[in-house]
C-alpha cells in the first residue's frame, strides 16, 4: 500500500511540475488573456467585458495574429471611452465587429471614424456570439445610453437562425402565442463555480486551452453530440418559417428600439467569402438562402440602407486576388474586409441622395 | 480510431493497458494475449465494423494455410507444399488486388482500349496493404521452414496487434512470436512503460506540432489547378513542405506505434533512421520505411534473383522491385512513376559506385566531408523531386510543380517583400514582385527552415532514447530510475493531453500512410 502511495505521489509531482513549467512558458507568449465577462448581466450586451482592462488576443495553437488592446468604460474593445448622450454612429455586430483579431484602426468603426465628413463619434458595439435577437437588445440599450444618430448593423451567416436558440446569457426570440418575444436567458452559475472559474481564469494554461484551443469538455461527451444532431435535424419548412419570422421581428422593431429611422440604418450582409476564393470551399449556410433573400427584399421595402457584401467582395477578389479574412485559419474579416465594409457603410449613410443622416 | 484522438488516448488505451496487466497479473497470459487481440479487432472495427470480418477471414485463412504448408513440408510433400503456397499468396494478392487495384486496372484498360467498364466505388479497407504483406511474409517463411507458429491466439495478435495494424511497421513473425510467448512480456515494468510513453509523446509531437503544423503550406501548391502556373518561389517551398510533412507524419506514427507497443513490453522494429541525412539513395532506403524496404528486399528483390545474375539483371531487379513498391503505395500512375524514379536513382547509384570503385579506384568507405555533404544534398533533392509525384493528385499537377521548381514559370518575389527588397539585390537584378497565391510567406520559410534543421541537425527518436538509456539512466541507479519513471509518466501525461487538445482544436487529422 505504501509503495502504491509513493508511486501516486511521484506521479502527481510529475504532473504538477509539468503544469508549472507550461504555465511559466505560456506567460512568455501572447496567449489570449485579459478579457473577463462583466459582472452585471442585466447590462449585457452593451457592457460586455470588464472595463478598462488590457488584453491580448491570438488564435490557434500557434498563437497566430497576436494583438494587444484595451477595453473601454463599457467593456467594449476600443482605445477610448464612450460618452453617454454623444449622438454617435453605432456599429453593431458579433465577433466581426468586436474584432479581437484586428487593431482598432483596422476595424469598420475605426475606418469610419476617420472618413471625411464623419463628425460624429463612431462607437463599435460588437460582442462575440451575438445574433439578431441580441442586436435588438443592444439597439435598445444603445438608444437609451447614447441616443445614436445613425447605425450600422453587420449581419453574418447564423445571425438569423441563432436568434431562435435559447442559450444561457443571451437574448433569443421565444415562440409565444403572440408571436416571437425577445427574452433574456440569464446566466446562472453556482457561486462556487464562478469563484473557481475566476481563479483559474487567470492561469495562462487555462486560457490557452479554452481560448486558443477552444477546448470544451461538454463538446466531447456523447450527450452533447446527440443534442447537436437533434438540433440540426429540425425540418426545413419549420426552419424557413421561423427564420422569416425572425427577419420580420428584427426589421419591424429595430427603428423603435434604436430610435433611428430606417434610412439612417445601414445593414451590411456578409457572404460566403471562401466560395469566392474557390467554389470547392463553399460551405453549407446556417441561415437559409431564402431567409437571407427575404431580409434583403423586406429591408429595401421598409427603407433601410442595405448592402450585400458578396458581390462587392467577388468583384474586388477578381481584380486583386486578395483575401478579406484570415483564410484559412480564421474567417473573421481582416483589415481589407473591414475597410471595404466601412467604405460601403459610409456610402450608404453619408453619400446617398437624400443626404447625411 | 486515430492514435491522436481523444477516444484513443482517454478511452481505448487506458482500458486496453489496464485489463491486459490485470489479466497478466493473475497469471492468465493466454487470456491477456487474447484480450489484446480482441481489443485490436475492436480498434480496427471502430473505423468500419464491416471490415472486421474481412480482417478475421484473412487471418483465419492465412493461419490455416500456414499450418497446411508446415504439415506438407514436414511430410516432405514439397510439390503440394509449393502449390499451397502459390494458392495462399494468390489469395492474398487477389484480396489486395480487388480492394486496391481493381479500379486502377479497369480505368487503365478503359484508357488504353477505349472501353467503358465500370466497377463502382470500392472502399479500400484501412491497413490492408500492411496486414496482407505481413501474412505473405509469414507464408513464405513457413514454406522455407523458418516459421512454425501453432498458437492461433498469438497468430491473431501478430497480425492484428493494434499498434502496427493500420500503417505498420511491417512485422516479421520471428521478431514477434518469441515476445508473445515470453512470460516477462506480461509483467508490468514502469521503466518500459515510461519509455513507451516517451516514444508516444515524441511521435505525437512530430505529428501534431511538426507535420500538421507545416501541412497548411502543402495544399495550396499540390492542389492548385494545373492551369495556374506555379512559380519558383511557390513550387519549391511547397515541395519542401510536403517532404517534411510526410517524414514527420509517418515517422511520428511509427514512433507512436513503437511507444504504444513498448507499454505492453513488446518491441516493434524501427521504421525510420533519419532518412534525410542519407548521403546516397541506397542509404536512404536503408533509413526510410525500413520494414517495407526489408520486406521488398527479402521477399521480392532476392526472389527475383537479387544481385546473383550479373549487373544488368541486378538493375532490372531493382527497377522491378521499386516499380512494385511504388504500386504498393497506391493504385495510380503517379505512384508507378515515383517507384520508377527511385528504381532509376538506385540503378544510377549502384552503377556510379561501381564506376568509382573499379574505374576511378576510389575508397567508397572513406568519403570526404565535402563529398558526403554534396551526397546528402543531392540525395535530398532527388527525393524531393520524386515526392512531387507521390503527393500530386494528377500527372499534370505534378508536372506543373516540377516545371515551377525548374524555374520554367519564372521567378516572382512576393509583393509583401517589396518594401524590404526594393533597394536591395532583387530590385537590381530586375526580379518582378507579384501576388503569389500558393506561397505562405515568411511563416512558410520559417517552418521549412525549422523542420529541415530538426531533420538534419537533431538526433532521431531512437538515438535520443538510446542516449537516455546509455548515458543518463545508468548514472542514476535503479531506485532513482524507478521513481523518475513515475514522475516522468506524470509529466508526459500532461504533455500528451495538451497535444491531443491541440490536435482536437484542428478537427480530424489522419495519418498520411492510412491511405496506403
Amino acid at each position: 500500500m505504501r509503495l502504491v502511495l509513493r508511486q501516486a505521489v511521484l506521479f502527481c509531482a510529475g504532473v504538477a511540475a509539468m503544469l508549472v513549467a507550461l504555465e511559466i512558458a505560456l506567460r512568455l507568449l501572447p496567449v489570449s488573456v485579459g478579457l473577463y465577462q462583466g459582472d452585471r448581466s442585466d447590462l449585457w450586451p452593451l457592457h460586455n467585458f470588464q472595463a478598462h482592462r488590457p488584453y491580448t488576443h491570438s488564435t490557434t495553437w500557434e498563437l497566430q495574429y497576436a494583438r494587444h488592446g484595451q477595453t473601454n468604460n463599457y467593456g467594449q474593445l476600443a482605445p477610448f471611452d464612450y460618452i453617454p448622450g454623444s449622438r454617435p454612429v453605432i456599429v453593431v455586430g458579433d465577433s466581426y465587429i468586436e474584432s479581437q483579431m484586428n487593431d482598432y484602426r483596422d476595424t469598420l468603426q475605426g475606418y469610419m471614424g476617420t472618413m471625411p465628413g464623419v463628425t460624429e463619434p463612431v462607437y463599435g458595439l460588437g460582442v462575440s456570439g451575438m445574433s439578431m435577437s441580441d442586436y435588438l437588445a443592444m439597439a435598445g440599450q444603445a438608444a437609451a445610453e447614447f441616443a445614436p444618430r445613425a447605425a450600422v448593423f453587420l449581419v453574418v451567416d447564423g445571425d438569423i437562425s441563432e436568434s431562435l436558440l435559447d442559450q444561457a446569457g443571451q437574448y433569443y426570440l421565444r415562440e409565444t402565442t403572440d408571436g416571437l418575444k425577445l427574452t433574456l436567458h440569464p446566466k446562472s452559475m453556482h457561486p462556487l463555480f464562478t469563484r473557481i472559474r475566476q481563479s483559474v481564469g487567470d492561469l495562462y494554461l487555462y486560457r490557452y486551452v479554452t481560448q486558443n484551443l477552444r477546448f470544451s469538455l461538454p463538446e466531447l461527451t456523447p450527450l452533447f453530440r446527440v443534442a447537436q444532431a437533434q438540433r440540426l435535424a429540425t425540418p426545413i419548412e419549420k426552419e424557413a418559417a421561423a427564420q422569416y419570422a425572425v427577419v420580420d421581428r428584427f426589421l419591424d422593431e429595430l427603428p423603435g428600439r434604436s430610435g433611428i429611422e430606417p434610412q439612417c440604418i445601414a445593414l451590411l450582409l456578409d457572404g460566403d467569402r471562401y466560395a469566392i476564393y474557390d467554389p470547392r470551399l463553399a460551405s453549407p449556410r446556417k441561415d437559409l438562402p431564402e431567409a437571407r433573400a427575404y431580409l434583403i427584399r423586406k429591408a429595401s421595402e421598409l427603407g433601410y440602407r442595405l448592402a450585400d457584401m458578396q458581390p462587392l467582395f467577388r468583384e474586388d477578389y477578381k481584380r486583386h486576388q486578395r483575401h478579406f479574412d484570415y483564410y484559412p485559419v480564421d474567417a473573421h474579416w481582416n483589415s481589407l474586409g473591414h475597410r471595404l465594409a466601412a467604405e460601403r457603410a459610409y456610402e450608404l449613410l453619408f453619400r446617398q441622395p437624400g443626404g447625411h443622416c | 480510431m486515430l492514435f491522436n484522438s481523444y477516444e484513443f488516448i482517454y478511452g481505448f488505451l487506458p482500458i486496453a493497458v489496464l485489463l491486459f496487466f490485470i489479466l497478466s497479473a493473475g497469471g492468465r497470459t493466454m487470456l491477456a494475449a487474447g484480450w489484446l487481440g480482441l481489443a485490436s479487432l475492436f480498434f480496427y472495427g471502430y473505423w468500419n465494423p464491416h471490415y472486421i470480418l474481412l480482417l478475421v477471414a484473412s487471418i483465419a485463412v492465412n493461419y490455416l494455410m500456414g499450418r497446411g504448408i508446415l504439415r506438407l513440408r514436414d511430410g516432405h510433400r514439397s510439390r503440394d507444399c509449393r502449390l499451397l503456397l502459390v494458392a495462399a499468396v494468390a489469395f492474398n494478392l487477389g484480396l489486395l488486388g480487388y480492394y486496391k487495384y481493381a479500379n486502377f486496372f479497369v480505368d487503365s484498360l478503359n484508357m488504353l482500349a477505349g472501353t467503358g467498364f465500370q466497377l463502382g466505388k470500392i472502399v479500400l479497407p484501412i491497413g490492408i496493404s500492411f496486414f496482407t504483406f505481413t501474412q505473405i511474409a509469414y507464408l513464405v517463411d513457413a514454406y522455407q521452414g523458418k516459421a512454425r507458429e501453432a498458437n492461433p491466439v498469438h497468430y491473431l495478435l501478430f497480425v492484428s496487434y493494434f499498434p502496427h495494424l493500420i500503417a505498420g511497421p511491417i512485422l516479421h513473425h520471428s521478431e514477434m512470436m518469441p515476445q508473445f510467448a515470453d512470460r516477462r512480456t506480461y509483467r508490468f515494468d514502469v521503466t518500459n512503460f515510461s519509455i513507451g510513453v516517451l516514444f508516444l509523446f515524441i511521435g505525437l509531437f512530430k505529428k501534431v506540432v511538426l507535420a500538421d503544423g507545416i501541412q497548411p503550406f502543402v495544399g495550396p501548391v499540390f492542389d492548385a489547378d494545373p492551369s495556374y502556373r506555379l512559380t519558383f518561389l511557390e513550387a519549391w517551398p511547397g515541395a519542401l513542405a510536403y517532404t517534411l510533412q510526410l517524414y514527420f507524419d509517418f515517422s511520428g506514427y511509427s514512433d507512436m506505434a513503437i511507444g504504444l507497443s513498448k507499454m505492453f513490453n513488446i518491441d516493434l522494429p524501427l521504421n525510420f533512421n533519419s532518412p534525410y541525412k542519407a548521403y546516397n539513395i541506397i542509404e536512404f532506403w536503408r533509413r526510410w520505411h525500413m520494414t517495407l524496404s526489408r520486406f521488398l528486399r527479402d521477399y521480392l528483390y532476392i526472389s527475383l534473383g537479387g544481385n546473383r545474375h550479373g549487373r544488368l539483371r541486378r538493375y532490372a531487379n531493382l527497377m522491378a522491385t521499386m516499380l512494385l513498391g511504388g504500386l504498393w503505395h497506391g493504385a495510380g500512375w503517379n505512384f508507378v512513376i515515383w517507384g520508377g524514379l527511385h528504381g532509376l536513382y538506385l540503378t544510377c547509384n549502384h552503377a556510379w559506385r561501381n564506376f568509382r570503385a573499379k574505374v576511378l579506384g576510389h575508397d567508397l568507405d572513406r568519403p570526404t566531408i565535402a563529398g558526403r555533404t554534396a551526397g546528402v544534398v543531392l540525395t535530398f533533392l532527388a527525393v524531393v523531386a520524386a515526392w512531387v509525384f507521390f503527393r500530386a493528385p494528377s500527372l499534370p499537377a505534378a508536372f506543373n510543380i516540377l516545371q515551377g521548381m525548374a524555374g520554367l514559370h519564372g521567378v516572382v518575389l512576393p509583393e509583401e517583400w517589396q518594401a524590404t527588397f526594393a533597394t536591395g539585390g532583387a530590385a537590381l537584378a530586375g526580379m518582378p514582385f507579384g501576388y503569389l497565391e500558393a506561397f505562405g510567406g515568411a511563416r512558410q520559410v520559417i517552418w521549412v527552415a525549422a523542420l529541415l534543421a530538426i531533420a538534419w541537425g537533431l538526433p532521431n527518436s531512437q538515438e535520443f532514447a538510446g542516449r537516455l538509456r546509455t548515458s543518463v539512466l545508468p548514472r542514476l541507479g535503479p531506485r532513482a530510475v524507478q521513481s523518475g519513471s513515475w514522475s516522468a509518466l506524470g509529466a508526459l501525461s500532461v504533455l500528451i493531453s495538451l497535444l491531443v487538445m491541440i490536435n482536437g482544436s484542428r478537427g480530424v487529422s489522419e495519418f498520411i500512410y492510412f491511405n496506403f
Side-chain angles (χ1 to χ4, degrees):
Chain A
M1 190 62 200
R2 263 187 69 184
L3 182 68
V4 173
L5 198 66
R6 185 169 170 271
Q7 289 165 349
V9 168
L10 286 166
F11 181 87
C12 292
V15 170
M18 187 50 73
L19 288 175
V20 170
L22 283 172
E23 177 67 20
I24 292 169
L26 288 171
R27 278 180 186 266
L28 304 172
L29 298 169
V31 174
S32 275
V33 290
L35 292 175
Y36 299 92
Q37 202 62 52
D39 303 324
R40 296 279 305 276
S41 61
D42 54 323
L43 299 177
W44 188 88
L46 182 62
H47 290 257
N48 185 25
F49 296 115
Q50 289 178 14
H52 294 129
R53 292 196 63 137
Y55 70 89
T56 299
H57 169 83
S58 60
T59 187
T60 75
W61 70 280
E62 278 179 275
L63 310 166
Q64 281 180 277
Y65 311 122
R67 297 278 184 275
H68 304 281
Q70 174 136 354
T71 59
N72 67 9
N73 54 333
Y74 284 85
Q76 297 285 339
L77 309 192
F80 57 90
D81 283 347
Y82 296 165
I83 302 163
S86 53
R87 306 230 59 211
V89 176
I90 56 167
V91 180
V92 180
D94 64 355
S95 48
Y96 281 69
I97 297 302
E98 186 181 83
S99 205
Q100 291 186 32
M101 61 295 302
N102 293 301
D103 289 330
Y104 180 80
R105 63 171 184 274
D106 293 330
T107 61
L108 197 164
Q109 53 272 27
Y111 278 118
M112 270 192 89
T114 60
M115 285 178 173
V118 183
T119 49
E120 306 82 358
V122 181
Y123 293 169
L125 300 174
V127 175
S128 179
M130 286 210 297
S131 59
M132 274 182 168
S133 48
D134 301 301
Y135 298 165
L136 283 175
M138 178 70 97
Q141 292 176 0
E145 196 75 8
F146 306 120
R149 190 185 299 269
V152 179
F153 284 83
L154 173 64
V155 179
V156 301
D157 183 44
D159 277 357
I160 302 174
S161 52
E162 285 166 7
S163 296
L164 295 159
L165 294 181
D166 177 2
Q167 296 183 103
Q170 293 198 269
Y171 285 90
Y172 71 107
L173 292 168
R174 183 164 53 93
E175 281 185 71
T176 65
T177 45
D178 302 328
L180 296 174
K181 186 167 180 249
L182 189 64
T183 311
L184 173 67
H185 180 152
K187 216 177 216 171
S188 63
M189 200 182 261
H190 192 281
L192 179 67
F193 284 121
T194 312
R195 255 206 306 278
I196 292 172
R197 192 172 251 198
Q198 275 168 355
S199 24
V200 294
D202 289 328
L203 293 173
Y204 275 52
L205 183 56
Y206 172 79
R207 286 271 159 177
Y208 178 70
V209 166
T210 55
Q211 301 298 308
N212 288 84
L213 303 184
R214 303 265 164 212
F215 178 79
S216 150
L217 206 52
E219 285 181 27
L220 295 182
T221 59
L223 275 178
F224 179 87
R225 291 179 194 172
V226 170
Q228 283 281 79
Q230 278 172 350
R231 210 159 70 181
L232 291 173
T234 313
I236 196 89
E237 328 71 74
K238 195 184 166 201
E239 212 175 282
Q243 291 192 13
Y244 288 151
V246 170
V247 171
D248 285 336
R249 191 79 187 175
F250 178 73
L251 293 178
D252 294 342
E253 276 198 17
L254 193 55
R257 283 186 178 268
S258 63
I260 308 170
E261 291 302 309
Q263 60 268 26
C264 284
I265 298 177
L267 300 178
L268 301 181
L269 267 69
D270 188 26
D272 187 357
R273 282 159 276 119
Y274 284 15
I276 296 173
Y277 309 150
D278 183 345
R280 289 173 298 180
L281 298 173
S283 56
R285 310 271 81 194
K286 292 180 200 162
D287 294 339
L288 294 171
E290 297 85 348
R292 192 175 185 275
Y294 180 66
L295 171 66
I296 294 173
R297 201 170 57 241
K298 179 151 184 191
S300 305
E301 283 168 15
L302 293 175
Y304 284 94
R305 304 283 163 90
L306 185 135
D308 184 352
M309 297 299 292
Q310 184 78 348
L312 199 103
F313 283 143
R314 178 168 284 125
E315 187 56 35
D316 192 88
Y317 189 74
K318 214 160 95 186
R319 248 184 294 150
H320 304 293
Q321 301 278 301
R322 258 159 241 173
H323 296 142
F324 312 102
D325 42 46
Y326 297 99
Y327 169 83
V329 173
D330 183 351
H332 288 101
W333 288 347
N334 59 17
S335 175
L336 174 62
H338 276 274
R339 184 165 59 77
L340 291 175
E343 285 168 359
R344 194 73 190 100
Y346 177 72
E347 274 174 34
L348 291 173
L349 295 178
F350 299 99
R351 288 283 180 271
Q352 288 281 324
H356 192 295
C357 282
Chain B
M1 203 182 306
L2 298 167
F3 290 167
N4 49 351
S5 64
Y6 291 115
E7 49 267 50
F8 179 81
I9 295 290
Y10 298 122
F12 177 85
L13 185 62
I15 294 171
V17 168
L18 209 65
L19 267 174
F20 176 77
F21 285 113
I22 286 174
L23 291 172
S24 300
R28 293 172 288 241
T29 57
M30 198 52 68
L31 209 59
W35 157 249
L36 207 48
L38 281 179
S40 298
L41 290 179
F42 173 82
F43 171 83
Y44 187 76
Y46 192 84
W47 165 70
N48 185 342
H50 297 107
Y51 285 118
I52 291 188
L53 215 60
L54 177 79
L55 176 64
V56 172
S58 167
I59 291 171
V61 170
N62 278 294
Y63 175 74
L64 292 173
M65 289 207 179
R67 298 285 299 152
I69 288 169
L70 285 171
R71 206 169 302 130
L72 291 171
R73 188 188 150 79
D74 292 345
H76 303 289
R77 292 163 61 189
S78 55
R79 195 169 162 275
D80 293 344
C81 185
R82 176 181 272 272
L83 274 176
L84 188 55
L85 173 71
V86 170
V89 172
F91 164 77
N92 282 293
L93 293 180
L95 211 61
L96 192 61
Y98 172 72
Y99 282 108
K100 195 162 178 173
Y101 302 107
N103 271 324
F104 170 63
F105 287 125
V106 168
D107 290 345
S108 300
L109 180 73
N110 288 340
M111 196 175 71
L112 292 172
T115 49
F117 297 115
Q118 289 294 327
L119 275 182
K121 188 171 164 56
I122 300 170
V123 179
L124 180 72
I126 200 163
I128 189 168
S129 309
F130 289 92
F131 67 72
T132 303
F133 269 35
T134 300
Q135 296 190 98
I136 289 176
Y138 165 74
L139 293 168
V140 173
D141 286 350
Y143 173 74
Q144 291 173 349
K146 295 179 196 163
R148 299 207 63 83
E149 188 52 46
N151 187 324
V153 174
H154 286 176
Y155 185 79
L156 167 79
L157 189 52
F158 161 59
V159 181
S160 69
Y161 188 38
F162 77 86
H164 90 106
L165 177 61
I166 308 294
I170 298 171
L171 301 182
H172 199 270
H173 63 92
S174 66
E175 61 204 358
M176 300 307 294
M177 296 309 186
Q179 296 191 76
F180 294 145
D182 190 343
R183 296 193 77 81
R184 281 174 301 180
T185 299
Y186 302 88
R187 249 177 259 144
F188 179 76
D189 180 331
V190 69
T191 310
N192 273 352
F193 196 82
S194 50
I195 288 172
V197 174
L198 176 66
F199 263 85
L200 177 66
F201 163 69
I202 293 173
L204 203 54
F205 182 82
K206 281 182 176 178
K207 165 68 181 164
V208 173
V209 175
L210 304 183
D212 288 351
I214 203 167
Q215 175 268 336
F217 305 113
V218 175
V221 173
F222 282 88
D223 299 331
D225 192 305
S227 63
Y228 174 79
R229 291 155 69 86
L230 291 160
T231 59
F232 188 81
L233 260 185
E234 292 170 298
W236 266 108
L240 287 171
Y242 180 65
T243 299
L244 293 161
Q245 184 205 358
L246 181 65
Y247 168 58
F248 285 110
D249 187 283
F250 193 21
S251 72
Y253 177 87
S254 297
D255 285 345
M256 290 167 82
I258 289 167
L260 288 165
S261 188
K262 189 74 180 168
M263 290 159 78
F264 295 95
N265 298 315
I266 293 168
D267 289 323
L268 292 186
L270 298 175
N271 224 9
F272 286 90
N273 184 19
S274 303
Y276 294 150
K277 290 178 187 168
Y279 62 94
N280 62 44
I281 206 77
I282 298 170
E283 204 202 0
F284 173 81
W285 278 104
R286 288 183 188 137
R287 289 167 172 259
W288 177 274
H289 203 175
M290 291 147 73
T291 56
L292 176 68
S293 302
R294 179 179 68 176
F295 179 91
L296 292 174
R297 183 196 62 206
D298 292 351
Y299 297 98
L300 195 57
Y301 175 69
I302 291 176
S303 302
L304 289 169
N307 58 3
R308 297 191 300 271
H309 304 289
R311 228 178 297 153
L312 279 180
R313 178 71 188 274
R314 176 195 203 176
Y315 298 155
N317 290 340
L318 271 176
M319 188 54 98
T321 303
M322 295 314 291
L323 281 171
L324 288 169
L327 205 54
W328 175 85
H329 281 87
W333 289 106
N334 280 30
F335 292 108
V336 176
I337 294 176
W338 172 77
L341 270 177
H342 273 280
L344 191 68
Y345 293 164
L346 283 167
T347 304
C348 291
N349 197 172
H350 279 287
W352 173 242
R353 280 172 67 83
N354 192 53
F355 176 77
R356 283 185 64 202
K358 295 210 170 135
V359 180
L360 302 178
H362 288 175
D363 182 357
L364 300 179
D365 295 328
R366 294 170 63 190
T368 60
I369 292 175
R372 207 181 161 91
T373 308
V376 170
V377 173
L378 186 65
T379 304
F380 182 71
L381 294 179
V383 168
V384 172
W387 285 140
V388 170
F389 285 100
F390 196 81
R391 168 61 174 83
S394 65
L395 290 179
F399 288 124
N400 184 27
I401 296 166
L402 288 171
Q403 284 166 354
M405 289 165 75
L408 298 178
H409 297 160
V411 181
V412 178
L413 295 174
E415 60 188 8
E416 59 268 28
W417 292 2
Q418 194 156 10
T420 317
F421 291 106
T423 53
L428 292 174
M431 276 188 194
F433 289 91
Y435 177 69
L436 300 180
E437 194 173 314
F439 178 56
R443 270 190 72 235
Q444 184 169 3
V445 173
I446 292 168
W447 265 104
V448 168
L451 266 60
L452 274 176
I454 293 170
W456 276 334
L458 291 186
N460 59 43
S461 322
Q462 58 267 25
E463 285 167 346
F464 177 71
R467 282 178 203 180
L468 195 71
R469 204 182 314 200
T470 53
S471 310
V472 182
L473 298 186
R475 271 189 247 153
L476 298 175
R479 196 177 153 80
V481 169
Q482 283 267 325
S483 308
S485 295
W486 282 105
S487 294
L489 271 181
L492 286 169
S493 57
V494 172
L495 289 176
I496 287 171
S497 295
L498 190 64
L499 287 174
V500 175
M501 284 179 197
I502 290 175
N503 183 66
S505 73
R506 294 186 296 222
V508 178
S509 172
E510 283 195 352
F511 292 89
I512 294 173
Y513 257 68
F514 279 22
N515 299 319
F516 308 136

